[in-house]
Amino acid sequence: MKNSLIVQKYGGSSVANIDRIKNVARRIARYRNKGYRLVVVLSALGDTTDELLKLARRITSAPSEREIDMLISTGEQVSVSLLAMTLQRMAIGAISFTGGQVGIITDYSHTKARIIDVSADRIKKELRKDRVVVVAGFQGINPDHEITTLGRGGSDITAVALAKTLGAGICEIYTDVEGVYTADPRVVTDARKLSYVSYEEMLELASLGAQVMQARSIEIAKKFSIPLHIRSSFNNKTGTIISKEVKAMEEALISGVTVNKKEAKVTICDAPDKPGIAAVIFKEIAAKDINVDMIIQNVSRTGYTDLSFTVSVRELNRARQVMSDIVGKIGAKGVTYNRDIAKVSIVGVGMKTHSGVAAKVFETLASKGINIDMISTSEIKISCVINKKHADHAVRAIHRAFGLDRVRRA
Ligand code: ADP
Ligand code: ASP
Ligand code: MG
């Protein structure tokens, strides 16, 4: 393994204070002693990003997205410089960089920019000098040299993108849990750690609320077959390997249950049931760069119909503006907004070949007296929107109903 390169990413809780940064430095030292070359991607200390966003909100409820990126990209600069100093003090050659300095080029959008190119020449040069290269996660620059950020949890994306560009053998993601579990271990105490998860399953789990990995980072890992190891920075246990689907995985029907409490439901009431209405609504929504998740339109009995869709709560204000402009235009009676929703989902590649999963989910929710608001399914997942106050209870009930606390996966 001499000279092989590893990209490691440490999340906010792993660098929350100086003791934890020292802990990260000691881990890096151990890898160096084994002969590895290391590129280390960091998140901001603890809840720094949230704290910075709170500061902005004290000034305005609608800050410019360019300035938001300018603000929240500072969090990662603090952590990388502190880690580089710690390593240098331990007599380990190290240098920290911003995303822009190492050539992470993104598109022009702010707060959820996409990486379009990574040159990484600077990193390669420093690696040749035998230094540990510490890179600020979550950020890049656009072709106009403006600072951009990649969306919440975006340090995972930085890490995977660098692993691809540098041809690293593995990308290790260090966090505050021991891997990917059958459900959020903070919600379901008997959730089980999964040894292996396929990219396909992880992509669904992450997109549906399993915060442990940022969904877009999994898309990149899948596209370039980069193996990921999700593990704890607080111990040396093996965590979860995310890689291509292997046979053992196909035998497990369900891999996990997730919940997303960060969506809101928009309902257009009594819209005329005629061609073109949905097209108008979603064209306007898309023009404002708002992502829509679930969409439901009811059967019309009176020539009028209700249409509901969900958006991220972060984009709800912008969706409200769009809707108040078009509700009159399309001849609907009104529009309502509901933030008290949660989307509970069950994911597993085994669903492709097994029937009865949906019925069991619905039965489980019914037995707990939980009403289902919206349903959506794909080949490997079933999602139900329910009242937010029942969310954790629903996750635990579904987890138990499918025996996920007991199933031993390969
Ligand atoms: P980091 O700061 O290291 O990026 P995050 O807070 O983004 O950490 O992600 C880790 C958290 O994800 C865990 O503390 C856990 O509560 C949550 N989580 C949600 N679903 C899962 C899951 N299925 N498996 C593991 N952790 C999960
Ligand atoms: N600090 C950023 C966030 O809190 C990015 C990250 O942690 O991955 O979203
Ligand atoms: Mg994260």
Side-chain angles (χ1 to χ4, degrees):
M1 278 298 178
K2 262 245 168 319
N3 268 332
S4 61
L5 177 74
I6 302 186
V7 172
Q8 297 186 332
K9 176 254 168 177
Y10 293 88
S13 45
S14 300
V15 292
N17 54 45
I18 298 297
D19 280 343
R20 292 205 178 159
I21 291 176
K22 286 184 179 165
N23 173 53
V24 167
R26 282 193 292 274
R27 185 178 289 270
I28 291 170
R30 284 202 296 278
Y31 275 83
R32 289 266 300 180
N33 290 339
K34 285 187 202 154
Y36 289 103
R37 291 175 304 143
L38 289 174
V39 172
V40 178
V41 175
L42 296 189
S43 292
L45 271 66
D47 296 329
T48 302
T49 312
D50 289 328
E51 299 300 329
L52 291 169
L53 285 168
K54 270 189 214 148
L55 286 179
R57 245 173 269 129
R58 282 174 59 188
I59 297 168
T60 166
S61 62
S64 127
E65 294 201 318
R66 179 197 181 273
E67 299 308 331
I68 284 290
D69 278 353
M70 198 64 148
L71 177 70
I72 60 180
S73 59
T74 62
E76 273 69 13
Q77 277 198 58
V78 174
S79 52
V80 291
S81 50
L82 290 173
L83 178 63
M85 287 176 208
T86 311
L87 290 167
Q88 288 164 4
R89 193 157 183 276
M90 292 163 74
I92 296 172
I95 184 164
S96 67
F97 289 119
T98 64
Q101 282 178 306
V102 296
I104 297 177
I105 311 296
T106 71
D107 62 12
Y108 288 92
S109 68
H110 280 289
T111 75
K112 51 178 181 189
R114 286 182 170 265
I115 296 178
I116 51 179
D117 189 37
V118 184
S119 76
D121 290 344
R122 194 98 195 250
I123 297 183
K124 289 178 193 156
K125 213 164 125 190
E126 296 299 332
L127 286 173
R128 282 196 292 273
K129 290 185 205 161
D130 201 27
R131 286 182 171 156
V132 175
V133 181
V134 189
V135 181
F138 174 55
Q139 56 174 263
I141 50 168
N142 71 22
D144 289 343
H145 293 263
E146 297 278 24
I147 295 175
T148 53
T149 63
L150 308 177
R152 297 306 304 271
S155 299
D156 297 336
I157 305 175
T158 309
V160 178
L162 287 179
K164 145 80 178 84
T165 304
L166 298 164
I170 190 146
C171 181
E172 294 187 328
I173 306 284
Y174 286 95
T175 184
D176 57 357
V177 287
E178 289 179 7
V180 180
Y181 284 69
T182 49
D184 186 340
R186 288 177 211 288
V187 175
V188 181
T189 45
D190 52 9
R192 297 179 51 86
K193 185 172 85 181
L194 302 168
S195 304
Y196 295 94
V197 182
S198 65
Y199 294 123
E200 192 186 14
E201 285 170 298
M202 192 64 228
L203 191 53
E204 287 286 358
L205 289 169
S207 312
L208 294 168
Q211 189 190 334
V212 65
M213 282 304 290
Q214 213 279 358
R216 276 163 50 208
S217 70
I218 305 297
E219 277 173 15
I220 304 173
K222 181 174 184 225
K223 192 163 162 194
F224 300 105
S225 300
I226 299 159
L228 308 177
H229 184 182
I230 320 302
R231 57 194 305 196
S232 168
S233 65
F234 305 136
N235 61 45
N236 288 321
K237 290 187 192 163
T238 303
T240 301
I241 301 290
I242 303 178
S243 62
K244 282 196 192 130
E245 209 170 304
V246 294
K247 195 177 171 298
M249 285 174 210
E250 290 170 352
E251 285 157 9
L253 174 59
I254 303 299
S255 50
V257 184
T258 62
V259 59
N260 181 348
K261 298 177 186 171
K262 293 177 186 156
E263 285 189 6
K265 187 171 78 162
V266 180
T267 303
I268 300 122
C269 311
D270 288 336
D273 190 24
K274 61 179 190 196
I277 296 294
V280 172
I281 297 169
F282 294 109
K283 199 173 147 209
E284 300 281 332
I285 288 280
K288 290 282 182 305
D289 201 19
I290 298 165
N291 292 327
V292 171
D293 182 20
M294 292 164 99
I295 302 176
I296 284 199
Q297 183 176 335
N298 288 337
V299 185
S300 152
R301 293 222 171 72
T302 57
Y304 288 87
T305 181
D306 288 351
L307 189 147
S308 295
F309 59 92
T310 60
V311 294
S312 157
V313 283
R314 260 182 268 141
E315 301 190 323
L316 183 61
N317 273 346
R318 281 194 287 136
R320 271 176 190 267
Q321 279 161 16
V322 177
M323 295 318 296
S324 61
D325 286 349
I326 61 173
V327 69
K329 201 157 102 186
I330 60 174
K333 290 240 172 65
V335 51
T336 61
Y337 306 95
N338 184 357
R339 283 168 164 266
D340 292 326
I341 61 160
K343 183 172 70 175
V344 176
S345 310
I346 181 161
V347 175
V349 285
M351 272 186 226
K352 282 182 190 174
T353 46
H354 288 71
S355 57
V357 176
K360 194 161 172 179
V361 170
F362 304 152
E363 251 168 43
T364 307
L365 293 176
S367 74
K368 302 288 172 192
I370 299 172
N371 193 43
I372 303 172
D373 235 9
M374 300 168 101
I375 298 167
S376 93
T377 62
S378 80
E379 255 196 330
I380 67 163
K381 72 115 204 269
I382 293 160
S383 297
C384 297
V385 169
I386 59 172
N387 189 312
K388 198 185 260 176
K389 70 177 182 214
H390 298 309
D392 291 352
H393 187 41
V395 172
R396 285 191 280 265
I398 294 171
H399 193 267
R400 198 170 319 117
F402 283 87
L404 292 177
D405 45 342
R406 287 179 272 112
V407 177
R408 189 168 286 280
R409 290 192 31 147

